[in-house]
């Protein structure tokens, strides 16, 4: 990118987010806000910091989860159980627009920084608390991790195969909760800018369980009105047929999908050349085809296995049938579509540079900053000085362990 092509300031430039976060959900929220130009100050425990730092060490000594979710943030290491560390946090919050937390159940209450506490001391602050199950229920006290919430919400029961449930591979509960939290912040900031905000900074609570219940919307609606718990069918959909994965002659797997009766007719007549199936009244509607899924899958599989992947996909494109190739993470890293669209950037880490994908939103005239991954406490001194602490005060905090 040339100097004349430098992107404009992000739409959240001038917004400061302070975050007390661990693992995935809150870090996804704050990274998203940072992607749009917000300043994100990550307050970490001096004794190890965000525990996601230590999941593995595959990225030049850094953990893959941490590198994925924490670029561009400033790490300030404070002991919040120490009155001096807590005083620093409040001075930070005096200058912040948003605070985000996803600490263990009851942790913010013990620290005296619940949304109600913050509203009294920092009335203009938007306080976002991400938790597992939300307050007021029999599970509210429980720790919540992605797999636990996916199991509790029913997501694992509709993933995998009959008798062999599975967790959806990506951490859906964590990621979707983080994105809902970010959406909430954006809505409240927009409302404030339009003069619609409350006089005091509103509090937002987003639970992982509520988020996954929302993600289960189709399955819950279907079961409520049919009385049927749909079984998982691997790489397919219980709602639509034919729609699934099929082996090809050259050892690859193609995924073919139809979403309506017209596409089914084209698939049967033009792709697999089975007009007899297209003419069968018992396959005319989607509900009919779902009941006959095994028969139709067998016919499609028999055609696909006789042809190489490239031929199958070209024929499917010509017939207007949705299709894709089944890929592994290694395949996606080398995916020509990402390369052709220049989706990779270099991000600095404490151990050296690493490739990272640009965030999904493509905003005209603006490219996300893709800042460095912070070492634990890397920005403590600079931020404390910015807050007005002297060099001697900073040294004393470090000597006492209240800051790193």
């Amino acid at each position: 990118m040339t100097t004349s092509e430098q992107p404009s300031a992000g739409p959240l430039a001038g917004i400061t987010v302070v975050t007390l976060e661990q693992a995935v959900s809150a870090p996804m929220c704050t990274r998203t806000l940072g992607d749009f130009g917000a300043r994100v100050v990550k307050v970490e425990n001096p004794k190890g910091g965000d525990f996601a730092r230590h999941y593995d060490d595959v990225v030049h000594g850094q953990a893959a989860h941490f590198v994925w979710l924490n670029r561009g943030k400033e790490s300030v290491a404070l002991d919040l159980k120490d009155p001096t560390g807590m005083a620093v946090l409040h001075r930070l919050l005096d200058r912040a627009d948003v605070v985000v937390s996803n600490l263990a159940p009851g942790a913010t209450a013990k620290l005296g920084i619940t949304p109600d506490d913050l509203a009294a001391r920092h009335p203009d602050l938007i306080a976002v608390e991400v938790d597992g199950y939300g307050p007021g229920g029999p599970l509210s006290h429980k720790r919540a991790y992605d797999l636990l919430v996916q199991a509790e919400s029913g997501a694992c029961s509709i993933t995998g195969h009959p008798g062999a449930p599975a967790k959806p591979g990506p951490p859906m509960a964590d990621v979707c909760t983080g994105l809902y939290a970010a959406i909430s912040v954006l809505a409240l900031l927009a409302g404030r800018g339009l003069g619609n905000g409350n006089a005091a900074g509103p509090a937002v609570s987003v639970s992982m369980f509520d988020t996954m219940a929302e993600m289960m919307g189709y399955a819950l609606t279907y079961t409520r009105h049919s009385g049927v718990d749909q079984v998982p069918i691997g790489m397919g959909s219980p709602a639509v047929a034919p729609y699934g994965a099929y082996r090809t002659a050259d050892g690859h797997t193609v995924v073919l999908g139809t979403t309506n009766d017209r596409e089914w007719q084209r698939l049967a007549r033009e792709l697999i050349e089975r007009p007899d199936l297209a003419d069968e009244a018992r396959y005319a509607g989607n509900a009919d085809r779902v009941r006959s899924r095994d028969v139709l899958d067998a016919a499609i599989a028999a055609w696909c296995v006789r042809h190489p992947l490239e031929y199958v996909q070209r024929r499917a494109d010509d017939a207007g049938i949705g299709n894709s190739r089944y890929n592994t993470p290694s395949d996606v890293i080398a995916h020509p579509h990402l390369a052709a669209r220049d989706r990779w950037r270099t991000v600095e880490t404490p151990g050296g540079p690493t490739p990272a994908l640009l965030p999904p939103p493509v905003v005209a005239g603006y490219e996300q900053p893709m800042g460095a991954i912070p070492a634990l406490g890397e920005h403590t001194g600079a931020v404390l000085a910015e807050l007005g602490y002297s060099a001697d005060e900073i040294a004393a905090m470090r000597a006492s362990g209240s800051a790193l």
Side-chain angles (χ1 to χ4, degrees):
M1 182 179 293
T2 66
T3 302
S4 63
E5 294 172 323
Q6 288 297 318
S8 63
L12 294 183
I15 297 296
T16 296
V17 179
V18 173
T19 182
L20 315 174
E21 60 185 19
Q22 305 276 6
V24 176
S25 55
M28 173 57 75
C29 169
T30 58
R31 197 207 77 178
T32 300
L33 299 174
D35 286 340
F36 286 106
R39 179 188 185 186
V40 180
V41 180
K42 183 181 180 85
V43 176
E44 300 187 71
N45 187 328
K47 298 178 180 177
D50 182 341
F51 54 69
R53 285 182 176 274
H54 312 291
Y55 282 166
D56 55 60
D57 59 1
V58 300
V59 188
H60 306 304
Q62 315 299 308
H65 273 88
F66 193 83
V67 170
W68 168 39
L69 292 164
N70 289 282
R71 62 169 180 261
K73 299 179 184 180
E74 301 172 45
S75 175
V76 174
L78 300 173
D79 182 357
L80 298 183
K81 295 179 181 179
D82 183 294
T84 302
M86 182 57 71
V88 175
L89 175 66
H90 282 296
R91 195 177 293 193
L92 258 176
L93 295 179
D94 283 337
R95 302 185 178 198
D97 301 281
V98 181
V99 61
V100 178
S101 66
N102 71 329
L103 304 181
T108 56
K110 290 178 182 177
L111 292 170
I113 51 172
T114 66
D116 286 343
D117 296 326
L118 294 174
R121 186 158 180 175
H122 308 280
D124 296 327
L125 192 66
I126 295 172
V128 181
E129 191 158 19
V130 176
D131 62 17
Y133 294 100
L139 302 182
S140 298
H141 67 288
K142 296 177 73 69
R143 286 182 178 270
Y145 306 134
D146 185 82
L147 170 59
L148 305 180
V149 175
Q150 296 226 42
E152 193 76 42
S153 67
C156 295
S157 75
I158 62 170
T159 308
H161 297 273
K167 184 189 88 68
M172 299 298 295
D174 278 327
V175 169
C176 294
T177 302
L179 293 176
Y180 266 114
I183 291 168
S184 300
V185 171
L186 296 175
L188 293 170
L189 288 172
R192 177 179 292 176
L194 295 171
N196 298 329
N198 297 328
V204 179
S205 175
V206 185
S207 86
M208 294 168 66
F209 183 72
D210 290 347
T211 296
M212 283 311 299
E214 169 65 17
M215 295 297 103
M216 288 286 290
Y218 159 73
L220 298 181
T221 302
Y222 184 92
T223 299
R224 177 180 291 276
H225 293 278
S226 70
V228 175
D229 284 319
Q230 292 177 312
V231 297
I233 55 172
M235 286 186 63
S237 167
V240 182
Y243 190 6
Y246 310 93
R247 295 289 286 176
T248 60
D250 51 353
H252 293 293
T253 298
V254 67
V255 180
L256 299 172
T258 60
T259 59
N260 58 61
D261 296 341
R262 295 185 302 279
E263 289 181 357
W264 156 244
Q265 288 291 319
R266 294 200 301 272
L267 184 146
R269 296 181 190 279
E270 301 175 31
L271 182 60
I272 67 172
E273 299 175 330
R274 289 291 303 273
D276 57 311
L277 297 178
D279 291 339
E280 277 279 2
R282 57 181 166 163
Y283 307 141
N286 180 65
D288 305 316
R289 295 192 295 275
V290 167
R291 286 189 289 269
S292 301
R293 183 192 309 278
D294 291 347
V295 174
L296 302 183
D297 279 346
I300 297 168
W303 182 85
C304 288
V305 79
R306 298 197 302 269
H307 304 288
L309 175 69
E310 188 279 331
Y311 176 83
V312 173
Q313 289 198 272
R314 176 162 46 83
R315 286 285 304 274
D317 285 341
D318 291 344
I321 300 300
N323 64 91
S324 68
R325 168 183 162 170
Y326 165 80
N327 285 322
T328 65
S330 296
D331 296 324
V332 177
I333 288 170
H335 205 297
H337 196 69
L338 293 173
R341 296 173 57 244
D342 193 26
R343 297 294 297 163
W344 292 99
R345 294 293 181 271
T346 298
V347 168
E348 296 296 328
T349 80
T354 186
L357 283 169
L358 284 166
V362 178
V363 182
Y366 173 71
E367 183 174 299
Q368 293 87 349
M370 305 296 284
I373 309 302
L376 176 61
E378 178 179 345
H379 303 89
T380 302
V383 171
L384 290 176
E386 179 185 340
L387 294 174
Y389 291 96
S390 69
D392 288 344
E393 288 173 315
I394 295 171
M397 288 184 206
R398 286 176 164 156
S400 70
S402 59
L404 176 65

